[in-house]
Amino acid sequence: MANFLVFGAGFVAEPLVEYLLRRSDNKVTVVSHILEEAQALANKFSGVKAIQADVTDQAQIEPLMADYDMVVSLVPATLHPVIAKAAIAQKKNMVTASYESPAMRELKQQALDAGVTILNEIGLDPGIDHLSAMKIIDQAHANNEKVISFVSWCGGLPSPQDNDNPLGYKFSWAPKGVLLALLNDALFLHNGKVERVVAKELLKWAKPLQANGLELEGYPNRDSTGYQEIYGIPEAQNIIRGTFRYSGFCEIIQAAKDLNLLDSESDVVMQDSVWSDYISRLNEVNSVDELKDQLSESAWQGLEWLGCFSEQNVGKHVGPIDAFCSLLVKKLGYSQGQVDMVLLQHKFEIEKADGSRYHIASTLQEFGEVGGYSAMSKTVGYPAAIACQLIADGKIARKGLVLPMTEDIYAPILDLLEKEGVVCKEQVMDADSSFLSELDY
């Protein structure tokens, strides 16, 4: 028997709770700052409790942990350190699906001293991407081979049959996080040298890509260079981790960025304005028609479809990015009967001991279910749930801050994910000059 305290009641939490309750003797309690959210999730299962708590207040949440064996944090990543401090103080193990932040890393010694396991980065991306990559990397090294190139793309997208708008994108969650991620520079390793793409040029960098018969595009994520050390591949000459999108997304969102719609602040008053007037004043022109020459026809049509040049009222928002997000929410939601898709693909160029080279592709394609879980919630919630159960069972025993990069962690999780139908399919092939075409620039 194990008692799990789950912070967060969002769309990822349901498959996690469902998985943990497959053990009849497991107990789960859901915590949210909005009691109704926690109750809505708890009511879908028998015997699940719901609690309201302020997750920013360590003094409030720490006593809640006393009667539980494990803590799961599915709240925004900035709140993990508060929950982690409380878990360490109560000597409770903890799992998150988020990137390990500097604030979390500061707790490394405290976690070790408390003898607890805090496993981070065990969702989809980060998460399944680590598991599938390290399996192949460790196999190569065991064969005295070198990983020369590692390229990884991941995206949460509409399924191909539901890709029915100019952006090729839909949101089942708040869009602001997606947009904010586009405001960071990107670093990657190319032919042994570190290259930087400044945030302003990020979407202009986007390269056409193909995967599983789909026409896509991709742009790099933040800092990929650290994976030389994280994945233990100092020999690698090329390392890029990036995001998959359908063609059209990057051009349209870049146009929005050029029109200052991704700015967090502006002195331009939006209240009681219509969009055509607001965009004009935001860009210091008399009419939106003056902006038409600055954009491609497809970018203009995409923004027009969203309503950026319309006579709709803008409403009152904190800044341009929040106003733009309100348009995205209205236009880019999933309709009834539509489903999402997760697509993750790693590409490896590997050098054998004799100097010859070969390629491996590892691909995960997962679809949501009508009336069931989305692909994204399943591929984030299940890995986190599996990790929780393995820690509770003593099968993951590492202490301190832990990432899922070692065989004792990735092997059992991959095996159990396969039982859920979540499989990274590997394809080994001879070296092909077009295989890593995204490196040809």
Side-chain angles (χ1 to χ4, degrees), residues 167 175-176 178-180 182-183 203 251-266 268-270 274-284 288 291 294-295 299-300 302-310 314 317-328:
L167 283 82
K176 191 172 182 179
V178 172
L179 298 183
L180 289 175
L182 303 175
L183 303 179
L203 295 176
E251 184 181 24
I252 294 170
I253 298 299
Q254 179 63 49
K257 187 186 287 191
D258 292 341
L259 294 180
N260 304 308
L261 286 172
L262 269 61
D263 291 356
S264 57
E265 297 178 356
S266 172
V268 177
V269 177
M270 67 180 75
V274 297
W275 269 98
S276 58
D277 178 52
Y278 178 60
I279 289 282
S280 299
R281 289 185 289 113
L282 196 61
N283 290 277
E284 300 180 346
V288 290
L291 299 171
Q294 298 180 24
L295 308 178
W300 177 272
L303 292 177
E304 188 174 45
W305 179 84
L306 283 170
C308 292
F309 311 130
S310 71
V314 178
H317 304 279
V318 174
I321 191 170
D322 298 287
F324 185 53
C325 284
S326 72
L327 288 182
L328 299 180

Side-chain angles (χ1 to χ4, degrees), residues 162-320:
D162 296 324
N163 178 20
D164 56 7
N165 67 68
L167 283 82
Y169 201 73
K170 292 177 184 285
F171 292 95
S172 55
W173 59 90
K176 191 172 182 179
V178 172
L179 298 183
L180 289 175
L182 303 175
L183 303 179
N184 298 290
D185 291 358
L187 295 170
F188 56 89
L189 196 65
H190 184 222
N191 294 332
K193 296 181 180 179
V194 175
E195 295 198 13
R196 178 185 294 271
V197 181
V198 297
K200 187 176 180 181
E201 302 293 323
L202 183 67
L203 295 176
K204 295 178 182 177
W205 185 97
K207 300 285 183 278
L209 302 170
Q210 289 186 330
N212 275 21
L214 298 173
E215 296 295 326
L216 304 162
E217 57 191 17
Y219 54 86
N221 288 343
R222 305 203 182 202
D223 186 357
S224 299
T225 62
Y227 286 87
Q228 226 180 0
E229 180 178 354
I230 292 169
Y231 284 175
I233 45 174
E235 71 272 22
Q237 297 297 297
N238 300 289
I239 301 177
I240 299 178
R241 284 167 49 95
T243 298
F244 270 137
R245 292 289 182 257
Y246 285 119
S247 299
F249 176 90
C250 293
E251 184 181 24
I252 294 170
I253 298 299
Q254 179 63 49
K257 187 186 287 191
D258 292 341
L259 294 180
N260 304 308
L261 286 172
L262 269 61
D263 291 356
S264 57
E265 297 178 356
S266 172
D267 294 330
V268 177
V269 177
M270 67 180 75
Q271 192 172 9
D272 299 323
S273 295
V274 297
W275 269 98
S276 58
D277 178 52
Y278 178 60
I279 289 282
S280 299
R281 289 185 289 113
L282 196 61
N283 290 277
E284 300 180 346
V285 297
N286 294 319
S287 165
V288 290
D289 292 336
E290 296 179 44
L291 299 171
K292 203 163 188 177
D293 291 341
Q294 298 180 24
L295 308 178
S296 68
E297 183 177 354
S298 56
W300 177 272
Q301 290 175 349
L303 292 177
E304 188 174 45
W305 179 84
L306 283 170
C308 292
F309 311 130
S310 71
E311 299 307 302
Q312 298 176 47
N313 193 278
V314 178
K316 186 177 181 181
H317 304 279
V318 174

Side-chain angles (χ1 to χ4, degrees), residues 58-79:
Q58 183 180 341
Q60 185 179 143
I61 63 175
E62 191 175 311
L64 297 178
M65 299 180 182
D67 296 328
Y68 293 88
D69 302 298
M70 171 160 294
V71 173
V72 190
S73 183
L74 300 176
V75 298
T78 53
L79 300 177

Side-chain angles (χ1 to χ4, degrees), residues 110-127:
Q110 295 177 42
L112 279 171
D113 292 344
V116 298
T117 301
I118 298 183
L119 177 61
N120 296 301
E121 304 193 15
I122 188 60
L124 167 66
D125 176 6

Side-chain angles (χ1 to χ4, degrees), residues 124-156:
L124 167 66
D125 176 6
I128 296 176
D129 56 347
H130 296 330
L131 311 178
S132 54
M134 288 308 305
K135 175 175 177 281
I136 292 170
I137 290 168
D138 282 352
Q139 286 174 346
H141 287 165
N143 293 331
N144 197 28
E145 298 171 340
K146 297 178 180 179
V147 176
I148 304 302
S149 300
F150 170 68
V151 176
S152 177
W153 305 99
C154 186

Side-chain angles (χ1 to χ4, degrees), residues 377-405:
S377 65
K378 185 162 54 174
T379 54
V380 175
Y382 281 160
I386 290 168
C388 287
Q389 193 65 67
L390 289 171
I391 293 171
D393 292 344
K395 294 179 180 177
I396 293 177
R398 290 174 183 265
K399 302 301 179 184
L401 258 67
V402 180
L403 295 177
M405 310 296 186

